[in-house]
Amino acid sequence: MGWNKGWRTAAAAILFAGVCHGGAAAEAVPLDVVHFWISESESQALDVFREAWAATGNQWVDLPAENKVAVQRVVSERVVNGYAPAVMQWNANEGSRELPEMGIVLDIEEVAEDDDWRSVLPQVVIDRITYQDKIYFAPTNIHAENWLWTSQAIFDELDLSVPESWEDIFAAADSIEAAGYTPIALGGGHWEVSLIFNNIMFDRLGADGYARFISGDAAMVADSRMIEALDMLRQISDYTQPLDARQGMSWADATAAVGEGQAGMQFMGDWAKGELIARGYAVDEDFGCSLVPGTAISYFMVIDAFAFPLTNREETVDAQREFARMLLDRDNQVAFSRVKGSLPVRTDVDPAGLDRCGQLGLQMITQSSTVSAQSMAMPTQMSEGWIGVLNDFFNDPTMSPEAAQERLYEIVS
């Protein structure tokens, strides 16, 4: 069944049948946590919260899923069948407001007021986690998508400078390819192509045009500059591994290829840094970080969060609120982001100890403009359709940019 349809059925299941969430003991409440943080670095970062939760005397029941879509499917099926998980990973984006709107998640306003979240969280985060003046999501960290990661070994060997323009990127890719390396590392996830395209769109449309696109202006998709952007995406496809080589690879596998000196560059969010560090690589020794050329005036923000499906067991409700409080603990925030490669969502943490990449990200948050990433701004189904078309175009050289533009326009209009 469709995603929205599934959630509306789920909402009905909760509202009219109640939810059974079994087996919790008052002295040690087990909370089942559905999430898609399964890479090496993501799992290590999640250990910060797992250990902090265990320290409260409660139990974390781990329910990992392959990706965000799989989390949606698991949660939807469990809610419909009357045993919603207690905690589910979510992105605080435009589509997330569907959950409180349908009345299927717990508001955690009590925790937010007690711990003064509105004073310590950026307004852009507050806006994303609030529905009708109540807070429903517990944010964990801030990521940005518009990062370029480079192999220090390859760039040193070929005497390449950090690209400052798309012309530089293509020139570097030619040199890397001629030397026998993969120019641009890419995994098999459809969303990875859309991350690259977001950067290209920002460069081609400019800040104002991209802002109009993000706000839902379909005219920007019909703009002639979108053809230029699609042409550039087609160029990028020539520098990645063949499709059959990418199938079965994750974004983390592609990131590792940069750290190992097998691939020259990767367009990926700053969670790539967490993965590189988890694998033993060091910034400015094994890999370099920079904002993608053409996007350095902005920060494509992604807000990770957790939500709490409704339950009729009071001890579980209390534990859900305590879980939210644990996520926003200042020390947990810093420890988690240090491993995850992200920035803490709180503004009152000590930034000391951040590496160069983290310092640059903090500077962007505090001094430059931030925009929502495409996946954060679009409703869920629209975003999935958009990503699907871009992936088809990227992998099918017979699809013209004009045909792709027409399909993209149909989706957003």
Side-chain angles (χ1 to χ4, degrees):
M1 59 187 163
W3 176 228
N4 285 341
K5 180 180 178 182
W7 269 119
R8 295 189 187 283
T9 304
I14 287 180
L15 294 174
F16 299 111
V19 178
C20 270
H21 207 312
E27 64 277 7
V29 180
L31 292 189
D32 38 358
V33 182
V34 183
H35 64 88
F36 53 84
W37 279 334
I38 58 174
S39 78
E40 184 175 350
S41 62
E42 290 169 332
S43 184
Q44 289 180 11
L46 204 55
D47 281 343
V48 171
F49 293 141
R50 292 189 184 107
E51 293 168 9
W53 185 241
T56 67
N58 292 299
Q59 182 183 354
W60 177 304
V61 181
D62 205 54
L63 297 175
E66 180 182 3
N67 50 39
K68 181 165 60 175
V69 174
V71 165
Q72 295 170 346
R73 181 175 62 251
V74 168
V75 173
S76 181
E77 290 174 353
R78 286 193 51 169
V79 169
V80 168
N81 286 290
Y83 62 110
V87 184
M88 61 183 185
Q89 185 184 353
W90 213 254
N91 290 127
N93 58 21
E94 189 67 29
S96 65
R97 292 170 181 160
E98 296 170 354
L99 304 187
E101 182 182 45
M102 290 185 287
I104 59 176
V105 288
L106 176 75
D107 83 72
I108 49 176
E109 179 63 27
E110 176 184 317
V111 177
E113 288 189 359
D114 288 347
D115 292 358
D116 203 17
W117 286 8
R118 288 178 176 84
S119 294
V120 299
L121 302 182
Q123 187 58 46
V124 64
V125 174
I126 292 295
D127 291 343
R128 288 298 187 186
I129 64 176
T130 301
Y131 176 74
Q132 292 186 348
D133 299 326
K134 289 185 177 182
I135 287 178
Y136 283 85
F137 301 88
T140 55
N141 58 289
I142 295 173
H143 275 301
E145 292 185 347
N146 53 319
W147 287 90
L148 177 66
W149 307 93
T150 52
S151 165
Q152 198 68 44
I154 292 176
F155 270 59
D156 286 348
E157 176 188 334
L158 303 180
D159 195 25
L160 297 174
S161 299
V162 175
E164 297 181 356
S165 67
W166 281 94
E167 289 75 15
D168 290 347
I169 288 175
F170 291 126
D174 285 333
S175 297
I176 294 166
E177 187 172 51
Y181 301 107
T182 299
I184 298 173
L186 187 70
H190 293 185
W191 57 274
E192 297 176 52
V193 174
S194 72
L195 293 197
I196 300 174
F197 192 62
N198 289 342
N199 295 303
I200 297 174
M201 275 198 306
F202 193 96
D203 180 75
R204 293 293 89 184
L205 297 178
D208 291 341
Y210 186 83
R212 287 176 57 187
F213 160 74
I214 285 296
S215 67
D217 186 349
M220 298 312 301
V221 183
D223 192 286
S224 61
R225 290 171 292 179
M226 284 292 287
I227 295 296
E228 299 174 18
L230 288 163
D231 281 334
M232 290 172 64
L233 184 65
R234 175 59 50 77
Q235 282 183 268
I236 291 291
S237 71
D238 293 335
Y239 293 112
T240 65
Q241 314 95 304
L243 176 60
D244 58 352
R246 285 186 276 117
Q247 289 178 331
M249 286 181 59
S250 70
W251 67 267
D253 296 326
T255 298
V258 173
E260 293 164 1
Q262 297 177 355
M265 298 178 282
Q266 184 189 26
F267 298 89
M268 185 52 60
D270 50 7
W271 48 88
K273 184 186 74 171
E275 191 68 20
L276 287 163
I277 292 173
R279 292 172 184 255
Y281 302 113
V283 63
D284 295 330
E285 294 180 16
D286 303 298
F287 66 92
C289 62
S290 59
L291 294 172
V292 176
T295 72
I297 64 171
S298 199
Y299 205 63
F300 294 10
M301 182 182 291
V302 176
I303 303 168
D304 288 321
F306 283 90
F308 307 92
L310 290 178
T311 173
N312 59 4
R313 298 188 64 88
E314 189 59 37
E315 64 269 29
T316 300
V317 174
D318 291 342
Q320 287 172 317
R321 293 193 173 110
E322 189 60 31
F323 192 96
R325 179 171 283 111
M326 178 273 297
L327 294 174
L328 269 292
D329 175 85
R330 188 183 290 105
D331 292 340
N332 293 342
Q333 283 270 304
V334 173
F336 175 83
S337 281
R338 185 175 290 122
V339 181
K340 189 69 166 59
S342 56
L343 293 175
V345 76
R346 294 181 67 118
T347 60
D348 61 345
V349 298
D350 183 359
L354 290 177
D355 57 34
R356 181 176 64 82
C357 309
Q359 293 286 356
L360 178 56
L362 185 63
Q363 177 183 338
M364 293 298 295
I365 288 289
T366 57
Q367 299 179 11
S368 304
S369 62
T370 59
V371 298
S372 289
Q374 165 266 320
S375 60
M376 298 295 99
M378 280 186 176
T380 303
Q381 286 187 323
M382 181 184 293
S383 180
E384 292 299 324
W386 176 270
I387 290 170
V389 171
L390 289 175
N391 192 70
D392 290 346
F393 173 75
F394 192 86
N395 294 312
D396 181 2
T398 67
M399 183 187 295
S400 69
E402 290 78 13
Q405 181 185 40
E406 183 177 351
R407 288 177 60 185
L408 292 171
Y409 180 80
E410 290 174 355
I411 287 171
V412 301
S413 61

